[in-house]
Amino acid sequence: MGCSGCSTGRGNHNENNNGIPAGCNNNGSCGTTGGCNKLNVFDWLGNMRLPDGQKACDMVEVRFKNSRKDFFKNVNNLSLVIGDVVAVEATQGHDIGVISLTGELVKVQMKKRNASPTEEETKKIYRKAKQNDVDKWQEAQKLEVSSMFKARTIALRLGLQMKLSDVEYQGDKSKAIFYYTADERVDFRELIKLLAEEFKVRIEMRQIGARQEASRLGGIGACGRELCCSTWLTDFRTVSTSAARYQQLSLNPLKLAGQCGKLKCCLNYELDSYVDALKEFPIIDNKYLQTVKGDAFHQKTDIFKGVMWFSYKHEPSVFIPMKAEQVKDVIAKNEKGEKPDDLVPFVLNLKTKAAVVEHTFENVVGQDSLTRFDRKDNRNKKPNHHNKNKQHSKGPQNNPNKGTPNPNQQKPKPQNKHQGPNPNKPHNKPNPNKPNNHKPNNNKPNNNDKTS
């Protein structure tokens, strides 16, 4: 979301970028695809010619900040393409927007939103935006962030239970729309007076829901992709916890809730497939499979493999897999008063060669260990490389039976500090040019005779 229509790149707060978004390298003109704009529509009819004699559609779709779009009539027959900045009619004054869709595909979009081109309330396009219009539009965009923070401060001072999430200025800098969310009805009449005195513009307050707020602000979901509501999803259908139950998901609110705090919309995407697959399974409803060995209760179900797991009451840790057809046969026998001897023969008829497996706890990753982050003290276990170097410098170890030196063994102390060579100092070699006048000391040990 870095083009001129989203909340991050639209404001052009950096004066050095000249309105060019950073990241997509499209320089603000994304062609017929619309690039990374929110709720983008691909014009797959853009390169097709109209039949002879058919008049082109005079309705265009104009995009404003974030996901706000509206349809306008091209009364002056201007040559408009996707990406043009235009001045359009507003309730009071004029607004500045970007063309997001033209041609015959606009009729399809208007049909989806139940908008009719013959209505009298349909607004019109005045002209293509001039440089003065664009400069004024960008000045208004720079005021949006600071205005939102000031408005939040005023709302907190008045003690209003509401959350201001976004601010949008009109293109002619004469009106500001404040979007907010609230759980209850809020009396913001005093707030409007203070905001009008502060910003010297007309103020409009619009309440939106939690999902509409996430759609406007955008973000990254748990799947790693951009939020569906801010890219392509326009209709927010009701999502209930039964959708998670049908898909056998854990009813964990932290995992099932999205960034809006409501249940994720993607829970409805595969719900129909799960409902159709569950029609092939028998209805258990806390029933037991009665056998001679004992009663077995239902543990879990693999919907797409068609396998159900049962366990005996006296062996709850032993899971017995069975096909859905075999479970129906056992239920039919129980209704007739018959009881099979055991469920194990049904397991042997599985094509996947399933076996009775007793599930036990296994710490595979080690993430349940409480001491995995403790620092282990291995200072006494480190090998003494310095002593090894000393041993190698004294001579080769030719005795294979000689073991490793005991670190606890005390080294013998020399009787005289001046006797014996210092292993840390290099030995002075005799100078052949000088005569050797002194006699050798027979009491000093010879280096060649010293054992390693």
Side-chain angles (χ1 to χ4, degrees), residues 5 33 43 61 80 85 112 142 144 158 191 217 316 320 332 340 362 375 385 406 428 451:
T33 61
D43 188 7
E61 185 186 63
L80 301 175
V85 182
K112 284 184 179 181
K142 293 178 182 179
E144 292 176 353
L158 295 176
L191 177 63
L217 300 181
I320 304 175
E362 293 181 0
R375 182 178 179 182
H385 300 287
N406 189 0
N428 295 327
T451 60

Side-chain angles (χ1 to χ4, degrees), residues 18 114 130 136 159-160 196 235 255 269 279 284 352 451:
N18 296 324
N114 296 325
K130 301 177 182 179
K136 200 171 187 179
L160 300 178
D235 54 335
K255 293 184 178 180
Y269 294 169
K279 294 179 181 179
I284 300 298
T352 57
T451 60

Side-chain angles (χ1 to χ4, degrees), residues 49-96:
R49 294 172 116 191
L50 293 174
D52 295 337
Q54 183 175 350
K55 187 179 179 181
C57 180
D58 58 349
M59 299 296 297
V60 294
E61 185 186 63
V62 181
R63 171 177 47 82
F64 301 96
K65 184 180 180 181
N66 286 327
S67 57
R68 186 170 73 93
K69 291 183 177 181
D70 206 348
F71 300 98
F72 295 87
K73 196 167 186 177
N74 187 7
V75 293
N76 298 323
N77 294 327
L78 301 174
S79 178
L80 301 175
V81 295
I82 296 176
D84 288 343
V85 182
V86 292
V88 298
E89 181 183 2
T91 306
Q92 290 184 5
H94 68 275
D95 202 353
I96 304 296

